[in-house]
Amino acid sequence: MTKDQEASAECAKEARRQAALLPPGPVRDALLEKARQYELASTAKPDSIAN
């Protein structure tokens, strides 16, 4: 796992942690969507990520 992938995984974890503290609504939904995006980035192959 690259440093970028590790950072993305950590960001995903933090976004999910923050979302868990919020009631259902648009802010929580946005955090969960951001977590999904970070998770996708954390599992992408390094050569498939645009620089």
Side-chain angles (χ1 to χ4, degrees):
M1 188 177 272
T2 67
K3 288 184 180 184
D4 287 340
Q5 289 172 317
E6 290 174 8
S8 291
E10 186 60 34
C11 287
K13 182 179 175 182
E14 179 61 18
R16 287 199 179 278
R17 185 193 68 77
Q18 290 179 15
L21 300 174
L22 296 172
V27 175
R28 182 174 185 256
D29 292 344
L31 275 171
L32 291 173
E33 178 60 29
K34 187 53 82 173
R36 284 189 285 274
Q37 292 171 358
Y38 280 128
E39 287 166 350
L40 183 60
S42 73
T43 59
K45 294 179 182 177
D47 59 344
S48 67
I49 300 172
N51 289 328

